[in-house]
Amino acid sequence: MNSDSVFSTLPDDVVLNLFSKLEDDPRNWARLACACTKFASLIRNVCWKTKCRNVLPSDLVSAASSSEPPGGWSSLHKLAVCCPGLLHSGVLFENSDFGLERELGPDESYRPQSQSQSEPSSSSSSQIHQPPPPASDCAWSLYDDLYFDTVYDESESDAAVAAPENENENGGVSVGGEFRIQKRRKICRSMRSHLASGVWNLSREQGNKLLHSRFRGDCLYICDWPGCVHIEEKRNYMLFRGVFKDFKGSQVWRNIKDAKRTKVDLNCAYCACKQTWDLHSAFCLRRGFGYHDDGEPVVRAYVCDNGHVSGAWTDLPLYA
Amino acid sequence: MSRVFKLKSSDNETFEVEEAAALLSETIKSSSSTEITVPNVKAEILGKVVEWCNKHAESEDTKDQLIKEWDAEFVSVDQHVLFKLITAADYLQIKELVDQLTQRVGDMIKAKTLKTVEMTYPTFNVEREVQEELKSLGF
């Protein structure tokens, strides 16, 4: 839109009046903010800011401070209304090794024969691996029999590691090259962030339910339960998002720093942070949640430098 | 005995407006004179604004279905006229007219199928597409 378009003749308060008519669907403002710098400026600095102040808990968005929250008002607003999607809540991460490869590094005694190797059992570092027989792709373990039984199609396993590159061609998103995706899934739009179902608000109570009791003092605001529910083949995911008030001043942050945790290559859905911390591995979450049999954690959560949290609950396994 | 106001357009045409209609404008209300010049607004547009005021002054009940239909007709104009009307109504501070007009613009923006935006931060990858779409609406 060039500068001599009709909109440039209108005073700001009229433009804001127009924007207020488009408030009901958050995507309207997001689209308008793309149109030109004047719109972007008005929407960021007035619309999103006012919306946050009106909708979010007042102690999270203190009216006294005029400065922007970390990540800006656009991030906070997006957090209120957008589900992180399966991608940003970490559901698409490889987890069937209980996250061991991320924690301990790749298993040194085992080298994949070729690009096509992807079975999760390759990273159970506690087992002794023989060199894989030439006929098959990889050594099998008990987990594979259970896991691949109904889920896996043999032909898909070949494609899984190559998937990160292919995803790009399919118009999806490029996940960090290190990570293997469990089976070949096109990362379509619905797996990225999208408007959340449910009420668009955050509360501290939900935050307290998530964190380990020793972080009781931290102010974590999470969206209402059950968040945005995604029904997948294996199980249902209740995706949530939230934010720490003053993350850098929190005990969780100190814990992460002291333990010298490393970040994971999962970018935040809400701001420019390319990496986040895994709160589950950092023992920041309530104890007792555990894992499902296939290695998937019952609850997972990731936090970025700005204190934005994305994660997923699953139903507790029926059997112990 | 109601007063008569004189509104002058930028191209020197004068419109006579009854008090009830004229006072729908906050600008006129707070003006000390009954003769008001409206800068940058041509007669064609000013005439339409006056027409709106007259219509709304004479109908007691603004929630009346007929008035709503009349209003809907009124705002069904092309974008250029629409924007000129907004400018005029804004200058004259006729709140309800501004609201109706901006609602109309909002509806036009909504009606056009806009590409789903991921609400990406901080750069907007679909910037150009959105601009194209808005441009195609005539804005």
Side-chain angles (χ1 to χ4, degrees), chain A residues 238-257:
Chain A
M238 278 66 75
L239 304 188
F240 60 88
R241 69 268 180 207
V243 63
F244 279 90
K245 179 176 169 145
D246 184 26
F247 179 54
K248 292 294 164 75
S250 69
Q251 287 298 319
V252 167
W253 166 244
R254 179 174 298 158
N255 186 62
I256 287 173
K257 252 196 345 166

Side-chain angles (χ1 to χ4, degrees), chain A residues 1 6-7 10-11 14 17-18 21-22 24 26 28 30-35 44 71 74-75 77-78 81-82 189 192-193 270-272, chain B residues 80 83 86-87 90 98-100 102-103 105-107 109-110 114-122 124 126-127 130-131 134-135 138-139:
Chain A
M1 190 171 292
V6 280
F7 282 108
L10 293 178
V14 176
N17 186 335
L18 168 60
K21 304 289 190 292
L22 294 164
D24 51 335
N28 289 333
R31 291 164 188 150
L32 287 168
C34 298
R44 278 177 196 277
S74 60
S75 294
H77 177 264
K78 184 177 179 182
V81 305
C82 266
R189 280 217 123 91
R192 296 193 272 169
S193 57
Y270 304 105
C271 66
Chain B
H80 297 289
F83 275 81
I86 292 178
T87 307
D90 179 56
V98 174
D99 275 342
Q100 285 181 12
T102 52
Q103 182 66 54
V105 176
D107 290 344
I109 290 176
K110 263 194 278 197
L114 293 180
K115 186 170 176 144
T116 306
V117 166
E118 205 200 302
M119 296 173 64
T120 50
Y121 174 97
F124 304 105
V126 292
E127 203 172 277
V130 176
Q131 288 178 8
L134 283 177
K135 224 185 277 184
F139 294 141

Side-chain angles (χ1 to χ4, degrees), chain A residues 14-307:
Chain A
V14 176
V15 177
L16 287 172
N17 186 335
L18 168 60
F19 290 169
S20 72
K21 304 289 190 292
L22 294 164
E23 189 171 346
D24 51 335
D25 185 338
R27 289 169 300 189
N28 289 333
W29 282 357
R31 291 164 188 150
L32 287 168
C34 298
C36 60
T37 47
K38 169 166 166 163
F39 280 17
S41 160
L42 282 175
I43 287 179
R44 278 177 196 277
N45 301 327
V46 182
C47 299
W48 280 333
K49 176 170 166 177
T50 312
K51 189 80 189 267
C52 284
R53 288 227 168 116
N54 291 341
V55 164
L56 296 177
S58 54
D59 40 326
L60 174 60
V61 189
S62 64
S65 83
S66 54
S67 61
E68 288 201 351
W73 293 109
S74 60
S75 294
L76 198 55
H77 177 264
K78 184 177 179 182
L79 202 113
V81 305
C82 266
C83 168
L86 294 174
L87 176 61
H88 297 285
S89 55
V91 173
L92 297 180
F93 261 21
E94 178 58 69
N95 266 313
S96 53
D97 63 346
F98 298 91
L100 284 175
E101 170 144 350
R102 283 199 294 281
E103 290 294 306
L104 307 172
D107 181 16
E108 288 302 313
S109 67
Y110 177 75
R111 295 261 176 266
Q113 288 293 303
S114 67
Q115 267 293 69
S116 63
Q117 311 250 340
S118 67
E119 279 73 25
S121 65
S122 65
S123 58
S124 341
S125 49
S126 54
Q127 294 183 8
I128 298 167
H129 290 277
Q130 295 119 12
S136 69
D137 285 334
C138 155
W140 285 82
S141 79
L142 183 60
Y143 285 117
D144 298 309
D145 290 333
L146 292 171
Y147 178 59
F148 293 125
D149 194 31
T150 50
V151 171
Y152 231 78
D153 180 15
E154 269 300 305
S155 62
E156 286 186 337
S157 67
D158 292 345
V161 168
E165 286 84 57
N166 289 346
E167 301 297 359
N168 269 329
E169 292 165 311
N170 289 335
V173 114
S174 151
V175 182
E178 285 299 306
F179 284 100
R180 297 159 306 188
I181 300 167
Q182 286 172 339
K183 55 185 182 195
R184 184 192 183 128
R185 315 175 70 154
K186 200 167 129 180
I187 301 192
C188 50
R189 280 217 123 91
S190 63
M191 296 186 190
R192 296 193 272 169
S193 57
H194 51 274
L195 284 185
S197 52
V199 178
W200 294 333
N201 201 351
L202 307 175
S203 78
R204 191 167 164 195
E205 280 166 47
Q206 293 297 332
N208 284 341
K209 286 182 193 159
L210 180 69
L211 292 178
H212 192 285
S213 52
R214 65 193 159 114
F215 301 112
R216 209 176 297 126
D218 287 349
C219 301
L220 171 61
Y221 293 79
I222 298 275
C223 63
D224 278 345
W225 175 263
C228 188
V229 182
H230 289 238
I231 297 172
E232 295 287 311
E233 276 172 45
K234 265 192 293 154
R235 53 180 62 95
N236 297 346
Y237 298 96
M238 278 66 75
L239 304 188
F240 60 88
R241 69 268 180 207
V243 63
F244 279 90
K245 179 176 169 145
D246 184 26
F247 179 54
K248 292 294 164 75
S250 69
Q251 287 298 319
V252 167
W253 166 244
R254 179 174 298 158
N255 186 62
I256 287 173
K257 252 196 345 166
D258 290 348
K260 295 193 179 40
R261 306 286 314 165
T262 50
K263 285 174 162 170
V264 294
D265 284 330
L266 179 66
N267 56 328
C268 180
Y270 304 105
C271 66
C273 290
K274 293 269 186 294
Q275 294 185 311
T276 49
W277 284 281
D278 179 346
L279 287 172
H280 190 277
S281 308
F283 302 106
C284 293
L285 302 184
R286 271 264 206 102
R287 251 189 282 172
F289 286 131
Y291 293 86
H292 292 273
D293 275 354
D294 58 5
E296 191 157 21
V298 169
V299 62
R300 76 198 87 199
Y302 300 85
V303 65
C304 76
D305 264 330
N306 290 321

